[in-house]
Amino acid sequence: MSSCNPIDIFGSNVFNDRVMKERLPKDTYNALKKSIDESLPLDSSVAEVVAGAMKDWAIEKGATHYTHWFQPLTGITAEKHDSFISPTPNGGAIMEFSGKELIKGEPDASSFPSGGLRSTFEARGYTAWDCTSPAFLQEDLSGVTLCIPTAFCSYTGEALDKKTPLLRSCEAINVQAKRILKLFNKETKNITVCIGPEQEYFLVDKDLYEKRLDLKFTGRTLFGQKPPKGQELDDHYFGTLKERVASYMSDVDRELWKMGVSAKTKHNEAAPSQHELAPIYSSCNIATDHNQLTMSTLKRIAHRHNFACLMHERPFNGVNGSGKHVNWSLSTDDGQNLLDPGKTPSENAQFLLFLCAVIEAIDKHAPLLRASAASAGNDHRLGANEAPPAIISIFLGEQLEEILDNIVCDNPSGDTERVRLDVGVSTLPHFRKDTADRNRTSPFAFTGNKFEFRMVGSNASIAGPCTIINTIVADTLSDMADELENASDFNTALHNVVQRSIREHRRVIFNGNGYSDEWVEEAKRRGLPNIDNTVDAIGEFISPQTVELFSKHGVYTQTELSSRYEIKLEKYAKVIHIEALTMVDMAAKDILPAALRFSTALSDNIIKIKTAAPNADTSVQEEMLKNITDAIARFGSTLDKLKLSIDKAEHITDDIAYLAQFYRDDTLAIMDSLRVIGDYMESVVGRDMWPIPSYSDMLFYV
Ligand code: ADP
Ligand code: MG
């Protein structure tokens, strides 16, 4: 039996530094290492040797195929498997893998969305190995595959994937943060963005899942009456893991560990059947790849345990949705966290400057950050049951907020409590990290030495949101560096920059309850945007200020931004189209027939009783019959409206923005009405007559 000891299996399927050191000639190893550390392109002779060693290692571990593993704009990962086999003239075969195959591949990727970046007749893009993310082996029932994390570009150099802009944004913040550190007389080779994404998901019994067309086609329930018990008792959150779930989770852990994903914590989440997995944080690029692997592994292993893993942002109405909390910080080469308050006045000042840069960035670019988390699925989550609201604000904790207030206050005389804090001269008062009363309602929270962005949906790649956070913070750091580099007196300039930043952007700080109605009002008074749907949110991707911001830092070109905007609109429209069609299908083939059977049973019952006992009281049955018949009539006419809406939408062919708006304003609204009537019918029709698994069945399966 293979070892279960995490130490033995961790990274056993990764072509990591240790394996490279062991298997590569010293010169090749050093050349590769230099490419990785300095993000330089790999020399072809080096690639040839690396490819050979990688192939041998993979074949020894049972691999027969390799794939360039990349993240196209669909948001999921894509792979095209090639075998190592190459025929020989004598009719045999050898296993081959060249340097060229390692560093470049040419997928015929015409079916991936490119938002007009690449027309189908020139379908080929090319993929290039991203050697900063190590190659790994993926094992499944079909065998073992060598996966090579790659970036995906068009021949004209436009990024067709999520990784390329992410890498560019890491470079942008690296450049700007180093300028700031230099002002504090610090040198570091690289500043790394550190990311720890917490992943939420639901598990549903596979047999029940198979009986729900909506779950299979759309990932969420389009009908479903709330169960008598939901999450109100808080008895699931951090509750004991049920054995079946625990066994699934340890399988997931083991698979992830083999691929070098440091799955660390697992627990039950707030909603019944909802769980979370968090890794130990790593560099932004690797964390992004690992999160994709985590999602696919969670789904894959679920089948082995007769579960379906739901990654949708809101699979069930009435209980929590699922998100992805993206923990974000910056680290120097020697592991110094730039968001960790220091002990000396200078360290404190540096901390405050980085803190303010983030606050300023978030306030200035709130609509863009909001857009980064926008999707049809997440629209059902943001602002609903215990999910962050659609309003962007920052939680700092009272003590830290007070410290910032003290920096702003310029008139300390006579006030013993509020002493002005001289940035770079005074020491920060020691502040405790808010853990006990940590505010979980904030979309962007400072949690002691990192920020946590909680708006991202459970289904999304974290690449997009991270690209945006990195770039907006890089931009503020760049403005601050411009001002400080030219200052004659650094300390005074520093104080002014920090003070001004707090003054101008204080409005985005909010420590209160983000779920409350009062906050919605208060945010409006403060002028903070509240954008509650994807169609409105994503317009920000093509606003002049966004185009300028991303061009300045070389992260997205205008064409790349327009393509992403188009793809998001298209995706939104497609998602709702599929949901609407699925709803029509379930309504016509599951729900209406059930309601008809029930009404027939009632009328049969009335007739039979009246025949047997003409004076019997059948008023209850008659009332029930009237109610269900009325509901059937309303359901039928609303269903017709929905079909008409779909038909209208299918005829909008030339204006994707209008199409998305139409789905939002017309189709979705009718879907909501249809659901209300359907759910009412579920509440009255006898359990044995209801053809699809109920919320109670699905959420309380073990
Ligand atoms: P929770 O928020 O559930 O209480 P933690 O805050 O301890 O849990 O950690 C959540 C995630 O944040 C984990 O993935 C962890 O590795 C990550 N994390 C911890 N420190 C940092 C950091 N400095 N930068 C980025 N992520 C971090
Ligand atoms: Mg957290």
Side-chain angles (χ1 to χ4, degrees):
M1 209 182 120
S2 60
S3 167
C4 288
N5 185 343
I7 308 235
D8 292 337
I9 59 175
F10 189 82
S12 58
N13 280 351
V14 186
F15 194 71
N16 55 22
D17 192 60
R18 188 174 45 79
V19 182
M20 292 194 282
K21 215 175 202 158
E22 251 168 46
R23 292 183 170 247
L24 294 173
K26 208 164 175 189
D27 293 356
T28 313
Y29 172 79
N30 288 338
L32 177 60
K33 198 78 182 118
K34 194 168 154 62
S35 288
I36 294 173
D37 291 346
E38 297 171 27
S39 304
L40 299 171
L42 206 58
D43 185 82
S44 61
S45 61
V46 176
E48 203 59 47
V49 183
V50 177
M54 207 185 259
K55 179 200 69 181
D56 291 344
W57 169 80
I59 289 173
E60 276 167 38
K61 289 184 158 283
T64 49
H65 288 71
Y66 68 92
T67 177
H68 287 267
W69 185 84
F70 59 101
Q71 294 176 47
L73 298 173
T74 48
I76 49 172
T77 35
E79 36 194 85
K80 173 179 166 241
H81 295 208
D82 281 297
S83 83
F84 291 118
I85 281 193
S86 172
T88 54
N90 61 3
I94 51 166
M95 300 291 254
E96 255 186 359
F97 184 52
S98 70
K100 211 162 147 243
E101 282 163 320
L102 167 65
I103 51 177
K104 256 185 203 165
E106 299 192 18
D108 172 14
S110 51
S111 299
F112 291 115
S114 73
L117 275 184
R118 174 177 43 89
S119 30
T120 11
F121 59 84
E122 42 176 57
R124 279 164 190 274
Y126 72 86
T127 54
W129 181 32
D130 162 28
C131 56
T132 57
S133 182
F136 60 93
L137 299 173
Q138 203 165 4
E139 289 173 1
D140 57 28
L141 293 178
S142 70
V144 183
T145 306
L146 170 67
C147 298
I148 302 155
T150 37
F152 179 36
C153 295
S154 75
Y155 268 114
T156 42
E158 276 112 0
L160 292 171
D161 67 351
K162 298 194 174 230
K163 180 178 276 243
T164 309
L166 179 72
L167 293 174
R168 294 176 186 158
S169 76
C170 291
E171 184 49 24
I173 198 164
N174 177 34
V175 169
Q176 302 306 334
K178 277 202 296 206
R179 285 175 68 195
I180 298 284
L181 279 194
K182 203 159 176 217
L183 292 163
F184 287 92
N185 298 319
K186 286 195 187 133
E187 291 285 345
T188 181
K189 247 202 206 135
N190 261 308
I191 301 222
T192 309
V193 180
C194 298
I195 299 289
E198 303 165 54
Q199 177 72 46
E200 290 178 335
Y201 59 93
F202 278 85
L203 287 177
V204 169
D205 189 275
K206 185 85 185 301
D207 300 335
L208 301 175
Y209 168 87
E210 290 293 341
K211 292 189 186 126
R212 298 265 333 196
L213 225 54
D214 46 4
L215 285 184
K216 272 169 63 172
F217 290 158
T218 74
R220 75 179 180 107
T221 52
L222 299 170
F223 290 104
Q225 188 214 352
K226 270 194 232 166
K229 177 177 184 290
Q231 64 190 56
E232 49 285 278
L233 297 180
D234 287 329
D235 49 355
H236 191 255
Y237 190 54
F238 280 79
T240 315
L241 296 176
K242 305 225 167 78
E243 208 168 285
R244 184 173 164 201
V245 174
S247 146
Y248 159 76
M249 287 177 171
S250 35
D251 253 11
V252 169
D253 279 347
R254 232 183 349 264
E255 289 301 313
L256 289 174
W257 290 338
K258 282 196 233 166
M259 294 185 286
V261 180
S262 54
K264 171 88 173 148
T265 58
K266 47 186 178 187
H267 61 80
N268 286 345
E269 259 301 324
S273 294
Q274 190 186 29
H275 312 281
E276 183 189 293
L277 184 154
I280 297 173
Y281 67 92
S282 52
S283 78
C284 190
N285 183 26
I286 290 180
T288 304
D289 283 355
H290 282 183
N291 183 248
Q292 295 296 114
L293 272 181
T294 302
M295 288 195 284
S296 59
T297 306
L298 281 167
K299 285 187 184 158
R300 186 162 51 85
I301 304 299
H303 295 293
R304 284 192 207 162
H305 292 257
N306 207 37
F307 280 132
C309 176
L310 307 180
M311 220 64 85
H312 192 280
E313 294 86 349
R314 200 164 165 87
F316 302 100
N317 279 10
V319 295
N320 275 12
S322 299
K324 196 165 311 206
H325 294 177
V326 180
N327 292 270
W328 183 96
S329 71
L330 295 171
S331 165
T332 59
D333 282 340
D334 55 0
Q336 191 205 344
N337 179 350
L338 298 178
L339 291 176
D340 217 342
K343 294 195 180 66
T344 64
S346 155
E347 285 173 10
N348 285 170
Q350 183 193 304
F351 160 72
L352 283 172
L353 194 64
F354 278 101
L355 185 79
C356 288
V358 179
I359 296 172
E360 185 169 331
I362 302 303
D363 186 37
K364 265 192 194 159
H365 301 284
L368 189 57
L369 194 64
R370 166 68 186 90
S372 81
S375 70
N378 219 13
D379 279 2
H380 299 288
R381 170 177 168 258
L382 296 181
N385 229 60
E386 297 211 16
I391 307 162
I392 301 262
S393 66
I394 300 179
F395 168 83
L396 280 187
E398 273 167 25
Q399 275 184 304
L400 194 51
E401 188 177 14
E402 198 175 322
I403 291 168
L404 296 193
D405 279 346
N406 285 343
I407 295 170
V408 176
C409 115
D410 258 338
N411 183 15
S413 54
D415 187 346
T416 47
E417 287 290 312
R418 293 168 76 92
V419 180
R420 176 178 155 186
L421 204 83
D422 257 319
V423 179
V425 179
S426 339
T427 307
L428 272 187
H430 180 73
F431 70 92
R432 113 188 94 75
K433 292 178 186 174
D434 273 284
T435 40
D437 60 341
R438 199 148 89 201
N439 187 327
R440 298 226 155 246
T441 65
S442 177
F444 205 88
F446 183 70
T447 47
N449 60 3
K450 60 180 162 56
F451 279 97
E452 186 171 336
F453 184 36
R454 302 181 177 134
M455 260 190 181
V456 184
S458 46
N459 225 345
S461 158
I462 59 169
C466 288
T467 304
I468 284 171
I469 300 174
N470 297 348
T471 312
I472 61 180
V473 176
D475 192 56
T476 331
L477 289 173
S478 141
D479 287 347
M480 288 175 163
D482 287 346
E483 188 166 340
L484 294 173
E485 279 165 356
N486 293 320
S488 50
D489 172 3
F490 178 66
N491 266 341
T492 310
L494 179 66
H495 184 269
N496 291 344
V497 166
V498 168
Q499 196 181 50
R500 194 184 56 231
S501 180
I502 301 167
R503 231 182 238 143
E504 289 176 7
H505 302 284
R506 209 192 169 297
R507 64 172 191 161
V508 78
I509 300 169
F510 175 64
N511 290 326
N513 179 6
Y515 297 162
S516 68
D517 294 337
E518 293 81 57
W519 169 231
V520 175
E521 285 307 308
E522 167 67 15
K524 197 188 277 173
R525 267 194 299 280
R526 294 190 191 184
L528 300 178
N530 182 2
I531 309 166
D532 70 357
N533 71 84
T534 294
V535 182
D536 288 342
I538 59 183
E540 193 59 25
F541 280 117
I542 48 167
S543 74
Q545 65 269 24
T546 303
V547 173
E548 195 193 320
L549 167 79
F550 284 116
S551 321
K552 177 177 168 195
H553 296 282
V555 174
Y556 284 118
T557 62
Q558 181 162 14
T559 335
E560 286 169 342
L561 282 170
S562 319
S563 73
R564 274 137 188 95
Y565 168 70
E566 292 260 319
I567 287 168
K568 279 180 191 284
L569 277 179
E570 229 170 72
K571 172 110 188 258
Y572 180 86
K574 282 181 184 162
V575 166
I576 298 179
H577 186 227
I578 294 170
E579 288 184 349
L581 289 176
T582 308
M583 215 172 181
V584 167
D585 196 74
M586 289 174 76
K589 295 189 194 142
D590 289 324
I591 294 177
L592 259 184
L596 292 176
R597 277 196 300 279
F598 183 61
S599 60
T600 311
L602 280 170
S603 56
D604 284 353
N605 175 283
I606 296 167
I607 292 166
K608 282 182 183 151
I609 290 180
K610 284 282 185 212
T611 315
N615 295 328
D617 178 3
T618 53
S619 58
V620 171
Q621 291 93 314
E622 281 165 36
E623 178 72 17
M624 285 166 80
L625 181 60
K626 182 177 172 337
N627 288 343
I628 190 75
T629 317
D630 285 353
I632 290 171
R634 278 184 289 130
F635 194 73
S637 64
T638 313
L639 180 58
D640 285 341
K641 275 195 210 152
L642 181 56
K643 287 183 193 160
L644 190 66
S645 177
I646 297 172
D647 190 52
K648 278 190 197 156
E650 285 170 350
H651 282 89
I652 304 171
T653 49
D654 50 348
D655 186 345
I656 181 75
Y658 174 65
L659 177 66
Q661 280 165 20
F662 182 84
Y663 274 119
R664 177 194 64 190
D665 299 335
D666 196 77
T667 318
L668 258 188
I670 302 172
M671 286 166 62
D672 283 346
S673 315
L674 190 67
R675 174 170 190 153
V676 171
I677 313 168
D679 291 357
Y680 164 74
M681 298 203 291
E682 184 181 355
S683 76
V684 296
V685 170
R687 208 184 301 280
D688 59 334
M689 287 189 188
W690 199 249
I692 50 178
S694 68
Y695 267 37
S696 303
D697 296 334
M698 288 184 288
L699 291 170
F700 299 91
Y701 55 87
V702 270

